[in-house]
Amino acid sequence: GAGVSQTPSNKVTEKGKYVELRCDPISGHTALYWYRQSLGQGPEFLIYFQGTGAADDSGLPNDRFFAVRPEGSVSTLKIQRTERGDSAMYLCASSPGGTGGVEAFFGQGTRLTVV
Amino acid sequence: DAKTTQPTSMDCAEGRAANLPCNHSTISGNEYVYWYRQIHSQGPQYIIHGLKNNETNEMASLIITEDRKSSTLILPHATLRDTAVYYCIEDSFGNEKLTFGTGTRLTIIP
């Protein structure tokens, strides 16, 4: 398919474990975004990549969260020492590049549950 | 924090026009109004955006007041598949962060 793909769709992990969430953006899109959404709330910005570099990581809640995009395409969101409060839907989006959030295409998300 | 205010929920009869209001009284001259929607269990979907002129595309129309302090998203002939949470976002063009509020939960009634 041509859309943004996120894997896995669901992830259950134990408190304290490490998890990786993967995002495959739309081919050719240089901008990539990660958001987090708790139940009943709107998505909350985490980090934005332009190409390989993290242009804005101001939304990452603490140093347990880290994201990479080494080749400017696929991105991985990494969470260390998971806590129950990290349970949420993690959404990835991509856009053609530097267009200020216009027409960001979102994936279906990864639902993370920390038990 | 989100800078827009929207009603928490609305109902609309199928086949009728759905009019979703949004207040953005603190909007500045270089800030656009974006609308996204999120159908249950899916990621948000871009609908439309505008600066000061009214805009229309295949999904919806956006009417922005002359003072730009409020806008209305219009779905001209609502269908059951339009049931979703609709987010109105005010943001500067070039700012890569979308700040979502809690949106309006629109329910289309058969």
Side-chain angles (χ1 to χ4, degrees):
Chain A
V4 176
S5 175
Q6 292 188 247
T7 53
S9 54
N10 283 284
K11 175 72 177 177
V12 179
T13 191
E14 293 181 347
K15 178 175 177 294
K17 298 288 189 182
Y18 167 84
V19 295
E20 290 189 350
L21 311 179
R22 177 186 168 107
C23 174
D24 283 82
I26 292 172
S27 178
H29 280 191
T30 60
L32 185 144
Y33 317 80
W34 283 99
Y35 286 79
R36 177 169 72 172
Q37 186 172 26
S38 301
L39 202 60
Q41 303 296 314
E44 176 186 24
F45 171 82
L46 294 177
I47 187 170
Y48 152 64
F49 288 89
Q50 182 61 247
T52 60
D56 185 345
D57 64 358
S58 62
L60 295 177
N62 52 59
D63 61 6
R64 295 187 298 106
F65 288 76
F66 190 71
V68 295
R69 195 186 185 201
E71 298 178 358
S73 178
V74 171
S75 176
T76 305
L77 179 66
K78 308 180 181 197
I79 310 174
Q80 298 178 318
R81 304 183 304 280
T82 52
E83 300 176 357
R84 293 199 177 88
D86 299 334
S87 296
M89 177 71 82
Y90 289 82
L91 294 161
C92 176
S94 69
S95 73
T99 55
V102 175
E103 277 200 276
F105 295 85
F106 282 80
Q108 301 280 60
T110 294
R111 181 165 295 284
L112 175 67
T113 304
V114 182
V115 298
Chain B
D1 291 342
K3 295 179 282 186
T4 62
T5 56
Q6 300 176 251
T8 303
S9 63
M10 292 180 64
D11 293 341
C12 178
E14 187 179 16
R16 299 291 187 120
N19 296 281
L20 293 97
C22 179
N23 286 323
H24 30 81
S25 58
T26 60
I27 196 167
S28 61
N30 67 342
E31 290 186 313
Y32 284 67
V33 179
Y34 299 95
W35 283 84
Y36 278 74
R37 74 179 182 184
Q38 188 170 23
I39 295 169
H40 183 61
S41 297
Q42 296 184 20
Q45 176 191 23
Y46 166 82
I47 301 173
I48 199 168
H49 75 284
L51 182 62
K52 56 181 180 180
N53 297 322
N54 297 337
E55 302 288 343
T56 295
N57 62 20
E58 65 278 4
M59 289 183 68
S61 294
L62 175 61
I63 309 298
I64 303 174
T65 58
E66 193 169 339
D67 64 7
R68 304 211 316 125
K69 294 183 184 299
S70 65
S71 61
T72 301
L73 180 75
I74 301 172
L75 308 178
H77 305 285
T79 71
L80 298 179
R81 287 175 294 182
D82 292 323
T83 291
V85 177
Y86 287 75
Y87 297 99
C88 170
I89 300 166
E90 161 197 324
D91 231 340
S92 303
F93 196 79
N95 176 24
E96 298 298 336
K97 288 186 266 194
L98 292 170
T99 303
F100 291 82
T102 52
T104 296
R105 181 172 298 279
L106 175 68
T107 303
I108 306 302
I109 310 296

